[in-house]
Amino acid sequence: MDRRENLKLLIASGLGSGLLFTTACKSQTDTTIDKLPSESELYGRTLEEVDRDKKLQEQPGFSKTEMLAITIICEIIVPIDRDCVGATAVGVPQFIDFIAKDMPQQKLPIQGGLMWIDAEANRRFQKPFVDCTAAQHIQIIDDIAYPDTAKPEFSQGVTFFNLMRDLTMTGYYTSKEGLKDLGYQGNMPNEWDGVPPNVLAKHNLSYDDKWKDQYIKMENRNKVVKWDDKGNVLS
């Protein structure tokens, strides 16, 4: 299951309800991939999706200063602690940069919000947001992170922070580390070594040792089996 499939899962369950990633599922029918990617590079994607992602990654994204501000905000939302590796470690800022390319309608609200938070930092501390101290960052974020108690004059900041929170939480909890934090197991393969002997005996059946040894091997459960035209396993 790749990150795109994880997004569908989280949105369906309500965790990602703040975002609609319908356009992220679109793919092109043509592909210009010169070299077939490995299975790990595919990571559940089709060749068309790999090609589309590559083209999106090559597009210009946020500026270095914008990415730094995004990173600071992501780290405030999902910080490093005893049980969490933090948003930056799993590439959430890069995820947000990709989403802004994949869904261009998200880029302008993010950039507008970054301009607002920069203006607020300059108004309060006479310097850009990225140059503020950690304590100053929190002062600003505290005023826009709680919609129910935020002052009306911070409404634009509240809207921006809601978007950033949705993006950050979606990015983090669709990463491998985030799914682990959730305790999500998903459709994981278990160990099945055939029908129990007592059930087989009840129906006067038994396994042919040749077939059992060939097909019921836990170490091979993730391998794709190849057959010849006679039904014999090739690998």
Side-chain angles (χ1 to χ4, degrees):
M1 181 179 289
D2 68 357
R3 180 168 281 194
R4 183 174 284 107
E5 293 301 316
N6 290 335
L7 286 172
K8 294 178 186 176
L9 170 69
L10 288 183
I11 292 169
S13 67
L15 289 175
S17 58
L19 296 172
L20 295 176
F21 287 97
T22 53
T23 59
C25 302
K26 293 180 181 178
S27 62
Q28 300 174 350
T29 56
D30 62 324
T31 178
T32 57
I33 295 178
D34 298 323
K35 179 183 177 183
L36 291 178
S38 66
E39 187 174 343
S40 61
E41 290 172 327
L42 281 172
Y43 193 53
R45 297 175 295 171
T46 64
L47 293 177
E48 289 79 9
E49 288 173 326
V50 171
D51 188 47
R52 181 175 182 274
D53 288 351
K54 180 182 177 182
K55 290 177 180 177
L56 285 172
Q57 293 287 15
E58 292 172 349
Q59 294 178 11
F62 292 112
S63 69
K64 290 183 179 180
T65 301
E66 288 172 332
M67 284 300 294
L68 180 55
I70 288 170
T71 300
I72 291 169
I73 295 169
C74 288
E75 289 177 346
I76 291 172
I77 296 171
V78 183
I80 299 172
D81 61 26
R82 183 178 59 184
D83 302 316
C84 177
V85 298
T88 302
V90 301
V92 173
Q94 290 73 29
F95 167 80
I96 293 174
D97 187 51
F98 178 83
I99 288 298
K101 297 174 183 177
D102 191 31
M103 302 176 65
Q105 69 271 25
Q106 297 285 357
K107 187 171 185 178
L108 187 58
I110 294 173
Q111 289 181 316
L114 292 173
M115 290 176 65
W116 181 91
I117 210 167
D118 225 21
E120 186 65 19
N122 276 296
R123 183 183 71 81
R124 295 192 192 194
F125 311 115
Q126 295 74 54
K127 54 187 173 182
F129 180 76
V130 296
D131 292 336
C132 291
T133 66
Q136 290 169 339
H137 292 150
I138 294 300
Q139 283 186 44
I140 297 174
I141 297 301
D142 277 347
D143 284 334
I144 61 177
Y146 308 100
D148 293 340
T149 58
K151 296 178 180 179
E153 58 263 35
F154 295 133
S155 60
Q156 186 177 349
V158 169
T159 300
F160 166 65
F161 192 77
N162 284 343
L163 174 59
M164 289 300 297
R165 179 163 41 215
D166 285 340
L167 286 167
T168 300
M169 298 301 283
T170 301
Y172 182 76
Y173 284 112
T174 54
S175 69
K176 292 180 180 179
E177 294 81 355
L179 288 172
K180 183 179 179 181
D181 285 351
L182 284 175
Y184 175 72
Q185 294 298 312
N187 190 21
M188 302 290 289
N190 56 12
E191 292 195 8
W192 186 77
D193 58 0
V195 178
N198 62 315
V199 176
L200 288 171
K202 179 180 179 180
H203 296 279
N204 197 29
L205 296 171
S206 63
Y207 281 113
D208 185 317
D209 288 340
K210 171 188 174 182
W211 295 110
K212 184 174 181 180
D213 292 342
Q214 193 166 8
Y215 295 120
I216 304 178
K217 292 182 178 180
M218 291 303 106
E219 65 272 17
N220 292 334
R221 66 184 180 182
N222 291 322
K223 293 182 179 180
V224 177
V225 177
K226 295 182 180 179
W227 308 74
D228 63 18
D229 54 3
K230 297 181 181 180
N232 297 315
V233 176
L234 298 176
S235 62

